[in-house]
Amino acid sequence: MIVTVQNLDLTYQSPDGQVEALRDINLAVEEGEFVSIVGPSGCGKSTLLSVIAGLEPPSGGTVTVDGEPVTAPSPKIGYMPQKDQLFPWRTIWANVTLGPELRRESRQEGNARARALLERYGLADFARKTPGQLSGGMRQRCALIRTLTMEPKILLLDEPFSALDYQTRLSVSADIYAIIRREGKTALLVTHDISESVSLSDRVIVLSSRPATVRNVHELGVLRDLPPMERRDHPAFRRYFNDIWKELDIHDR
Ligand code: ADP
Ligand code: MG
């Protein structure tokens, strides 16, 4: 298992009192697997990813990555937070080479990786533009390339498509899926969108409302070998969608 989460609890201490966000979460992700975590808004999804990323210390339980306990951010993990985190004043090139620059690694190696990824994924001609000159989908691809430039083994993606309109979201998610598969990465995607989880992943973990607990886990069987767009047309898609929908605590609101 490349990621394990055992008996994880997290309670925030805030001036207004305590907020219990995570309760006894257990999960494991295999190398190369694409796992989605779905749950209602505010249940604790982002909290869970930030604990796995080593950014938030848990109140109890353990997280391991590649067999080692997580206590701080690790270069093995590429974390894409919820907000588009490209710097608007930097060019695409300056954005995607930011990671190696901050890590103070040899400029040559970081630049070579960035250049290869921009070329492989059709952004080389946009290197001198700024994020504002790109479409939402291209910005998302650029954000992923920036993360890949750091050569993480695991990608943590927090609602990466939520700012895009519906049509764009379909094509951009298929695009990002293809890149993650081609690069052979392990991915953990957080979303509140059931269709997105069923169209992209091998397995879907359903969380309850806050405090988040694991309600169920769905292996996506026949859908696993299909690309996202074809999954949406498969009869099994609707079945998984309905099962997960019934499990989400969103019906009495
Ligand atoms: P989700 O990503 O599923 O929408 P979050 O993980 O962002 O949910 O938040 C879970 C709960 O924890 C929410 O009630 C949120 O208000 C609360 N929360 C998140 N961050 C903090 C924080 N730093 N301090 C106190 N409460 C927080
Ligand atoms: Mg969130």
Side-chain angles (χ1 to χ4, degrees):
M1 290 297 165
I2 194 160
V3 178
T4 69
V5 171
Q6 283 177 309
N7 309 113
L8 192 70
D9 298 310
L10 190 142
T11 299
Y12 288 111
Q13 313 289 341
S14 76
D16 317 326
Q18 298 191 331
V19 179
E20 187 184 8
L22 306 176
R23 184 187 289 176
D24 198 26
I25 304 275
N26 288 281
L27 59 92
V29 181
E30 279 177 52
E31 183 143 21
E33 208 181 6
F34 196 134
V35 173
S36 291
I37 296 174
V38 295
S41 284
C43 78
K45 300 182 297 298
S46 295
T47 301
L48 177 57
L49 273 203
S50 56
V51 175
I52 297 171
L55 296 166
E56 190 79 64
S59 313
T62 51
V63 176
T64 66
V65 165
D66 236 3
E68 289 170 19
V70 170
T71 51
S74 146
K76 288 180 179 166
I77 294 178
Y79 174 54
M80 289 178 60
Q82 205 158 348
K83 296 199 182 70
D84 178 357
Q85 62 310 41
L86 296 174
F87 293 108
W89 61 88
R90 285 186 154 230
T91 62
I92 296 307
W93 175 254
N95 266 291
V96 298
T97 53
L98 183 64
E101 185 183 318
L102 292 178
R103 218 193 258 172
R104 302 215 191 106
E105 69 170 281
S106 128
R107 177 157 294 195
Q108 254 179 345
E109 279 175 34
N111 285 1
R113 285 203 304 274
R115 195 169 301 118
L117 285 163
L118 287 173
E119 261 162 34
R120 191 175 311 154
Y121 297 116
L123 282 176
D125 291 344
F126 297 86
R128 290 170 193 214
K129 305 236 187 259
T130 56
Q133 295 173 291
L134 267 59
S135 67
M138 287 173 107
R139 276 203 297 278
Q140 211 55 41
R141 204 190 297 177
C142 176
L144 179 61
I145 288 173
R146 175 164 79 178
T147 307
L148 292 173
T149 302
M150 305 290 281
E151 298 191 298
K153 290 181 78 168
I154 303 150
L155 296 169
L156 304 179
L157 308 155
D158 194 350
E159 311 233 19
F161 314 117
S162 56
L164 305 170
D165 66 70
Y166 179 73
Q167 294 303 332
T168 311
R169 207 157 73 221
L170 292 185
S171 63
V172 174
S173 60
D175 180 45
I176 297 297
Y177 168 91
I179 297 174
I180 290 172
R181 288 299 194 201
R182 177 163 173 196
E183 300 294 324
K185 300 296 178 188
T186 305
L188 197 48
L189 167 86
V190 153
T191 178
H192 64 268
D193 185 327
I194 302 171
S195 301
E196 194 171 289
S197 72
V198 178
S199 64
L200 297 176
S201 47
D202 299 321
R203 198 148 56 90
V204 179
I205 297 173
V206 184
L207 299 181
S208 67
S209 54
R210 192 175 67 77
T213 57
V214 174
R215 173 149 287 180
N216 204 356
V217 179
H218 297 262
E219 301 279 348
L220 294 184
V222 288
L223 297 182
R224 293 178 61 141
D225 300 324
L226 299 175
M229 293 297 200
E230 285 174 39
R231 292 189 194 193
R232 289 174 188 263
D233 295 328
H234 194 286
F237 189 88
R238 183 151 211 100
R239 190 159 43 82
Y240 285 115
F241 182 97
N242 288 338
D243 289 349
I244 295 169
W245 192 74
K246 284 186 215 129
E247 288 163 8
L248 278 186
D249 293 323
I250 47 176
H251 309 298
D252 47 357
R253 276 167 222 186

